[in-house]
Amino acid sequence: MFNKKMLTSLVVASGLSFGAAGAAFAHPAPPPPPGEDMPPPPPHHPRMFGPGAGPMGMIFQGIKLTKEQKQKMSDIMADARKEEDKNRDSMKTIHDQMATALLSSGKVTAESLQPILDKQAALEKTVKAAHVKTILALRDVLTPEQLAKAKLRYSKIKSIKEQMKELRDMDAPAPEDAPAPPPLP
């Protein structure tokens, strides 16, 4: 009655039809209500440099480097990433300590959380110092001409961001025209 070829064809056809049915019922996300902006894109992977890090992360992109400069920058960034990963792990540990303290039985006060907050503040200071150290090390690799090009690039990026803000503000309703927020339940 059913041979192997027919059974295989039936399985493939049913799989394709279920896939097509799933695609037919998929709906795109609804557009935002009139007068509201689109939601922001998902956050970029938290690294120090690159498009997700803002204009400061992009100033070294687009500069022609020698092989030696590329290697030096690559080494600097590899060291910075190792330190960044270590700091991220430390921050996760601090967050876990905070969660454990907050979810523990008994009374939790600001004073009892202060040692954890002090550790977090110290680590944030360390992270900022590491970022400055890395940026300065990368800057030291560049020639004066390359620095001038980076400065020009930074000014252009800053100008473009300001223009984009002006364009967004043009379409934004005035505060008195904005719809009232819904009442709280």
Side-chain angles (χ1 to χ4, degrees):
M1 198 183 225
F2 281 113
N3 63 19
K4 195 174 190 178
K5 196 176 201 180
M6 221 165 123
L7 186 59
T8 303
S9 298
L10 182 63
V11 169
V12 169
S14 63
L16 288 173
S17 64
F18 283 124
F25 289 106
H27 299 288
E36 288 189 21
D37 291 335
M38 290 294 291
H44 180 69
H45 188 270
R47 286 283 186 200
M48 287 191 286
F49 305 104
M56 284 304 293
M58 296 179 68
I59 60 173
F60 296 117
Q61 294 179 354
I63 297 174
K64 297 208 185 303
L65 303 171
T66 65
K67 284 184 181 181
E68 294 81 22
Q69 286 177 312
K70 286 180 185 177
Q71 185 58 50
K72 284 180 185 176
M73 285 194 164
S74 178
D75 293 344
I76 291 167
M77 289 305 299
D79 292 342
R81 284 189 185 102
K82 286 178 192 170
E83 188 171 351
E84 184 182 359
D85 290 343
K86 183 183 74 159
N87 289 335
R88 189 177 300 111
D89 291 342
S90 298
M91 189 60 76
K92 183 181 179 327
T93 301
I94 291 171
H95 289 169
D96 289 344
Q97 290 172 353
M98 180 67 79
T100 300
L102 289 170
L103 298 173
S104 66
S105 60
K107 185 172 181 166
V108 179
T109 63
E111 292 81 27
S112 66
L113 297 176
Q114 194 58 48
I116 299 171
L117 294 173
D118 291 342
K119 277 196 248 180
Q120 182 176 0
L123 182 58
E124 287 170 354
K125 188 175 180 180
T126 301
V127 167
K128 287 178 183 176
H131 286 188
V132 169
K133 176 183 158 194
T134 302
I135 289 253
L136 290 174
L138 291 170
R139 183 187 186 280
D140 289 344
V141 173
L142 301 177
T143 65
E145 296 80 25
Q146 290 169 325
L147 280 172
K149 186 175 181 181
K151 182 178 180 179
L152 178 65
R153 180 180 180 86
Y154 177 75
S155 331
K156 286 182 179 182
I157 290 172
K158 188 175 177 183
S159 172
I160 290 169
K161 285 189 170 263
E162 289 168 359
Q163 291 173 28
M164 289 171 59
K165 183 182 180 327
E166 288 174 11
L167 288 171
R168 280 192 306 269
D169 291 346
M170 285 173 41
D171 293 334
E176 60 273 0
D177 297 337
L184 295 173

